[in-house]
């Protein structure tokens, strides 16, 4: 039975999901013994103290959040070690690391499909996971022919921006061209944005649509309005990290490749529940659709709200969104159905009826066309991941 030291932030949801994956691998491959070492041991014990403690406990390996300046000392020890790159990637030690640029690209593509032409990113340029998410976001935005606005913050810590930069942050948000699609480097910073907008009477999502990363459900639901977020496959990262450590302990490899944590999908909540349009009539139609999507909404209901003929509305709507009104309503209903599959215990049929999807024979087919999975498979795959995050 292996003894493994876990030097992680046990209070954050990311680490809890990692632990879930590590524990799962352990239960399938020998039932390991763990020492959950608090993060402050990095400062109080240092590398030497941690390694001495590990030797006394007869530890077989370490998975932890380590400072980059500790890398050489840990690398030179005989103990197999895997680092979580919470600041910068390690060069001599394998990293549990995200596909950060891919995550940024996913955020940009999500906003581009919603018709946005103004973009902003809020994060830190001195932390790898924030910097590379910004790079992926900007690359995709630039490719589409647009630019990204940034908030200047070169040496800020994750808790500093809102509490110590509130005036400059407010000024920046007010100065952004509206409507703007803003991606935050993580959910914590996303909540900072929604809080700042609320204090400055900036409407979310009408003026600033906000997207976070991690899908930390507690933070996302604490936000007002609730924060949309990119969900990551963190549990798989933990599982793969444990497997890598197993190989290192066996002596089969000295340096295992980095363990990637890929983005899975965007979880849409109210903070991005809008389609951007400079056409006032189309914008009014979109606003009405989003506010009434959970009713048995028909195209005729929308025509009554807009002072133009159905033919004119259909033509302008297609030009702006790239799809007919009925198709937009259908797709949005499916997206809302997907949210309910993960957030409620209702049956698929009950959710479909609530969303105005009365043709039960075609529900699975329509859902798969939009989401890529049948409703049953979608709930099975992503519902289990959501449960991991919220525990």
């Amino acid at each position: 039975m292996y003894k493994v030291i876990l030097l992680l932030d046990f209070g954050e949801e990311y680490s809890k999901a990692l632990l879930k994956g590590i524990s799962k691998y352990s239960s399938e491959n020998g039932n390991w013994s763990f020492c959950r070492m608090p993060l402050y041991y990095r400062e109080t014990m240092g590398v030497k103290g941690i390694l001495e403690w590990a030797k006394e406990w007869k530890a077989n390996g370490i998975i932890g959040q380590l400072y980059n300046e500790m890398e050489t000392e840990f690398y030179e020890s005989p103990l197999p070690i895997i680092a979580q790159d919470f600041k910068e990637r390690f060069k001599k030690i394998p990293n549990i690391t995200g596909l950060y640029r891919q995550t940024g690209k996913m955020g940009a593509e999500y906003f581009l499909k919603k018709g946005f032409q103004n973009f902003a990113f809020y994060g830190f340029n001195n932390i790898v996971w924030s910097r590379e998410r910004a790079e992926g976001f900007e690359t995709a935005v630039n490719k589409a022919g647009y630019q990204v606005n940034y908030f200047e913050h070169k040496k800020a810590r994750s808790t500093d921006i809102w509490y110590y930069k509130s005036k400059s942050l407010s000024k920046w948000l007010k100065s952004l061209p509206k409507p703007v699609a803003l991606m935050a480097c993580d959910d914590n910073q996303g909540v900072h944005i929604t809080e700042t907008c609320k204090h400055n009477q900036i409407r979310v999502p009408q003026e600033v649509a906000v997207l976070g990363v991690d899908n930390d459900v507690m933070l996302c639901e604490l936000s007002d309005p609730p924060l949309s977020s990119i969900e990551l496959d963190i549990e798989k990262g933990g599982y793969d990290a444990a497997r890598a450590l197993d190989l290192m302990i066996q002596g089969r490899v000295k340096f295992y490749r980095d363990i990637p944590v890929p983005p899975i999908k965007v979880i849409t909540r109210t903070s991005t529940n809008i389609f951007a349009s400079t056409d006032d009539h189309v914008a009014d139609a979109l606003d009405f659709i989003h506010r009434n999507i959970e009713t048995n909404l028909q195209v005729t209901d929308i025509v009554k709200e807009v002072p133009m003929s159905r033919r004119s509305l259909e033509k302008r709507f297609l030009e702006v969104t790239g799809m007919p009104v009925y198709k937009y309503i259908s797709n949005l209903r499916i997206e809302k159905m997907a949210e309910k599959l993960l957030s409620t215990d209702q049956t698929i049929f009950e959710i479909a009826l609530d969303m105005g999807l009365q043709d039960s024979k075609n529900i699975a087919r329509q859902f798969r066309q939009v989401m890529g999975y049948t409703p049953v498979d979608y709930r099975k795959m992503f519902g289990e991941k959501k449960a991991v995050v919220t525990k």
Side-chain angles (χ1 to χ4, degrees):
M1 181 174 66
Y2 295 152
K3 292 183 175 181
V4 177
I5 294 174
L6 301 174
L7 184 64
L8 300 169
D9 184 354
F10 303 106
E12 68 173 16
E13 294 303 319
Y14 188 99
S15 291
K16 291 178 182 178
L18 278 180
L19 288 172
K20 185 74 174 181
I22 294 168
S23 176
K24 183 177 180 181
Y25 182 88
S26 163
S27 64
E28 293 175 0
N29 295 274
N31 202 19
W32 301 357
S33 176
F34 297 106
C35 170
R36 293 184 299 156
M37 185 175 284
L39 277 181
Y40 65 80
Y41 275 40
R42 289 180 309 197
E43 289 74 26
T44 58
M45 297 176 66
V47 178
K48 185 177 180 180
I50 293 172
L51 291 176
E52 287 180 353
W53 196 96
K55 183 178 181 180
E56 183 178 341
W57 189 53
K58 297 181 180 179
N60 298 103
I62 298 175
I63 298 175
Q65 287 187 7
L66 311 174
Y67 293 128
N68 291 94
E69 52 267 28
M70 296 177 166
E71 180 173 14
T72 299
E73 293 177 87
F74 274 116
Y75 175 74
E76 291 175 350
S77 77
L79 201 63
I81 297 168
I82 295 176
Q84 180 190 337
D85 65 343
F86 75 112
K87 286 194 174 179
E88 296 292 336
R89 289 190 186 89
F90 292 79
K91 297 178 180 179
K92 300 177 181 179
I93 299 173
N95 302 271
I96 302 172
T97 187
L99 300 179
Y100 303 128
R101 292 186 181 88
Q102 185 176 323
T103 304
K105 180 183 177 184
M106 180 180 288
E109 291 175 344
Y110 172 78
F111 279 134
L112 286 165
K113 288 179 182 177
K114 285 181 169 290
F116 282 93
Q117 298 181 13
N118 302 311
F119 299 86
F121 190 91
Y122 178 70
F124 314 97
N125 60 12
N126 60 344
I127 301 175
V128 63
W129 47 265
S130 176
R131 183 176 63 250
E132 291 188 0
R133 284 170 183 166
E135 291 171 0
F137 185 76
E138 183 171 27
T139 297
V141 168
N142 290 167
K143 186 177 180 181
Y146 306 108
Q147 300 297 315
V148 178
N149 294 279
Y150 288 95
F151 181 70
E152 294 297 330
H153 48 280
K154 294 184 178 179
K155 295 183 179 179
R157 296 172 302 181
S158 61
T159 56
D160 282 352
I161 294 182
W162 162 241
Y163 298 104
Y164 298 106
K165 301 284 186 179
S166 59
K167 289 184 179 179
S168 55
L169 179 57
S170 297
K171 182 179 179 181
W172 178 67
L173 287 171
K174 290 177 181 178
S175 73
L176 293 174
K178 311 294 192 306
V180 62
L182 189 154
M183 181 173 177
C185 62
D186 65 5
D187 291 335
N188 196 39
Q189 312 321 312
V191 174
H192 288 175
I193 293 295
T194 59
E195 287 176 347
T196 310
C197 287
K198 188 174 183 179
H199 279 266
N200 288 278
Q201 289 78 53
I202 299 172
R203 295 177 301 159
V204 177
Q206 292 88 343
E207 295 177 272
V208 180
V210 188
L211 175 68
V213 180
D214 289 340
N215 195 36
D216 185 324
V217 176
M218 183 188 72
L219 277 177
C220 291
E221 295 182 353
L222 177 67
S223 171
D224 183 17
L227 181 69
S228 298
S229 185
I230 298 177
E231 183 175 14
L232 310 176
D233 205 346
I234 307 169
E235 182 185 342
K236 183 177 183 299
Y239 187 94
D240 291 344
R243 179 171 55 190
L245 188 66
D246 191 0
L247 292 174
M248 293 170 72
I249 292 171
Q250 293 178 40
R252 293 168 61 181
V253 292
K254 169 64 177 176
F255 181 95
Y256 193 84
R257 60 175 174 79
D258 287 345
I259 299 97
V261 178
I264 302 174
K265 64 187 295 289
V266 176
I267 303 296
T268 297
R269 299 184 179 89
T270 310
S271 71
T272 61
N273 191 19
I274 195 170
F275 189 101
S277 173
T278 55
D279 185 313
D280 290 340
H281 291 317
V282 174
D284 289 343
L286 287 162
D287 180 62
F288 183 78
I289 291 170
H290 280 262
R291 285 189 288 107
N292 295 277
I293 193 62
E294 296 191 35
T295 66
N296 189 20
L297 189 65
Q298 304 296 323
V299 176
T300 52
D301 299 321
I302 301 160
V303 174
K304 293 176 183 178
E305 297 295 319
V306 182
M308 58 194 312
S309 69
R310 175 168 180 163
R311 183 177 178 181
S312 297
L313 175 62
E314 289 274 16
K315 182 179 178 181
R316 285 164 67 167
F317 196 95
L318 180 62
E319 290 175 351
V320 170
T321 67
M323 63 183 76
V325 178
Y326 81 90
K327 186 66 174 177
Y328 187 90
I329 293 172
S330 176
N331 286 0
L332 187 60
R333 278 201 181 113
I334 294 296
E335 290 176 7
K336 285 290 183 180
M337 180 179 177
E339 290 179 37
K340 288 179 176 289
L341 283 170
L342 303 186
S343 62
T344 73
D345 294 327
Q346 289 180 286
T347 66
I348 294 170
F349 184 68
E350 288 171 339
I351 294 172
L353 286 179
D354 287 347
M355 298 306 304
L357 297 167
Q358 299 179 357
D359 188 354
S360 58
K361 294 181 180 179
N362 290 320
I363 289 172
R365 179 182 58 81
Q366 294 172 0
F367 192 94
R368 183 164 189 162
Q369 286 177 344
V370 177
M371 305 305 298
Y373 302 89
T374 66
V376 173
D377 291 341
Y378 186 89
R379 174 175 264 176
K380 182 178 180 181
M381 177 170 289
F382 298 111
E384 291 177 355
K385 294 182 184 299
K386 181 177 185 295
V388 170
V389 175
T390 55
K391 285 184 180 179

